[in-house]
Amino acid sequence: MNLIFLGPPGAGKGTVAQQVTEKLGVVQISTGDLLRAAVRAGSELGVKAKGYMDAGELVPDDLVIALLKERIARPDCERGAIMDGFPRTIPQAEALEKAEVPVDRVINFNLPDDVIIHRLSGRRVHRSSGAIYSINSDGVPQPGPDVNPDDLYQRDDDKPEAIRNRLVVYRKQTEPLIDFYRQRGLLSDIDAAQPLEGMISDTLAATGSQG
Ligand code: AP5
């Protein structure tokens, strides 16, 4: 089963993906995580991507499409994948179709801008595992006593200026994908303003799995 998680920054795509992959027997492919790993490694891709990411701009389509195609061809994706944050533009979605990657469902996370800003400002990420936490303590996973607070960091693009730009970029370049996938009968809308448990069960229900 291949799923696409679509929605604005901070809507909870990564959090829900981390909670449902095991249940669905699929892997999570976050193009954001792959790009951040490339930046950390200082690879050619990372050097090219860093400026765009820090400013909240999208990384050019050709780079991200190549990255996704390479990742989804690996054996661990045989049973399926959650594409978290890909596609982000119409050309990316068309490239997925051209590559004949089947898409079973597109989960569209809906969330108002004020909640997005609140969530992104409170997000903290665990450096080595990539686990997503929040300092807002509102019903999402919290770091356990085994987690060293020094290992938690705030993403560079979670600063106010970059958040504002990411929202503009989302509306302009990514939102058109809602109609693209609705026209194909693949879209399921999820209320992302509800508590995490509800988001998880709505996502599982949309995929035809038990909540
Ligand atoms: P990426 O890493 O994909 O960022 P994003 O799409 O902006 O999404 P986020 O990771 O910010 O949010 P999320 O929806 O996963 O929310 P999360 O679960 O963390 O991309 C980063 C950058 O990489 C892009 O700007 C671009 O430059 C580049 N890039 C990536 N893919 C690309 C592509 N395909 N093409 C071109 N460029 C690309 O949750 C957020 C917070 O809210 C957390 O603290 C969480 O604990 C909390 N939370 C979650 N759910 C709830 C809830 N129900 N209630 C309360 N709090 C909640």
Side-chain angles (χ1 to χ4, degrees):
M1 178 193 299
N2 286 327
L3 303 173
I4 290 172
F5 279 10
L6 186 66
K13 304 180 295 293
T15 301
V16 172
Q18 289 183 355
Q19 303 284 326
V20 301
T21 45
E22 206 174 312
K23 189 151 204 163
L24 295 173
V26 300
V27 295
Q28 175 194 10
I29 301 179
S30 159
T31 41
D33 284 349
L34 293 174
L35 289 165
R36 279 184 289 279
V39 170
R40 274 196 303 274
S43 67
E44 196 184 333
L45 170 65
V47 171
K48 284 184 186 156
K50 187 175 185 332
Y52 295 103
M53 295 175 76
D54 287 350
E57 295 289 333
L58 294 184
V59 174
D61 284 336
D62 55 339
L63 298 178
V64 187
I65 289 167
L67 183 69
L68 188 281
K69 277 192 189 166
E70 189 277 323
R71 178 64 187 89
I72 206 160
R74 289 196 212 156
D76 64 341
C77 296
E78 255 167 33
R79 292 188 60 201
I82 294 174
M83 287 171 267
D84 163 14
F86 185 97
R88 279 265 231 298
T89 62
I90 297 282
Q92 289 181 20
E94 288 170 346
L96 206 56
E97 289 189 340
K98 204 165 159 221
E100 297 183 1
V101 175
V103 175
D104 297 281
R105 195 114 287 270
V106 178
I107 313 291
N108 181 36
F109 293 75
N110 293 290
L111 194 68
D113 285 4
D114 55 336
V115 188
I116 290 173
I117 292 163
H118 172 70
R119 284 195 187 169
L120 288 179
S121 328
R123 173 166 57 190
R124 297 294 181 272
V125 183
H126 189 243
R127 207 171 294 281
S128 50
S129 70
I132 302 164
Y133 298 113
S134 173
I135 57 168
N136 295 331
S137 307
D138 40 14
V140 291
Q142 299 295 315
D146 53 322
V147 173
N148 178 349
D150 292 341
D151 292 339
L152 300 176
Y153 75 99
Q154 186 172 29
R155 278 171 41 177
D156 285 339
D157 59 353
D158 280 349
K159 310 277 159 60
E161 184 64 22
I163 294 176
R164 272 193 293 278
N165 197 35
R166 285 160 72 198
L167 285 170
V168 171
V169 167
Y170 171 75
R171 302 276 173 239
K172 196 167 159 212
Q173 291 182 264
T174 306
E175 223 168 37
L177 288 173
I178 295 175
D179 277 344
F180 182 94
Y181 284 115
R182 206 188 298 282
Q183 280 161 15
R184 284 157 175 74
L186 290 174
L187 201 82
S188 292
D189 282 300
I190 297 279
D191 171 16
Q194 63 178 318
L196 180 59
E197 257 175 51
M199 287 172 72
I200 292 171
S201 57
D202 285 357
T203 301
L204 291 172
T207 64
S209 309
Q210 295 274 307

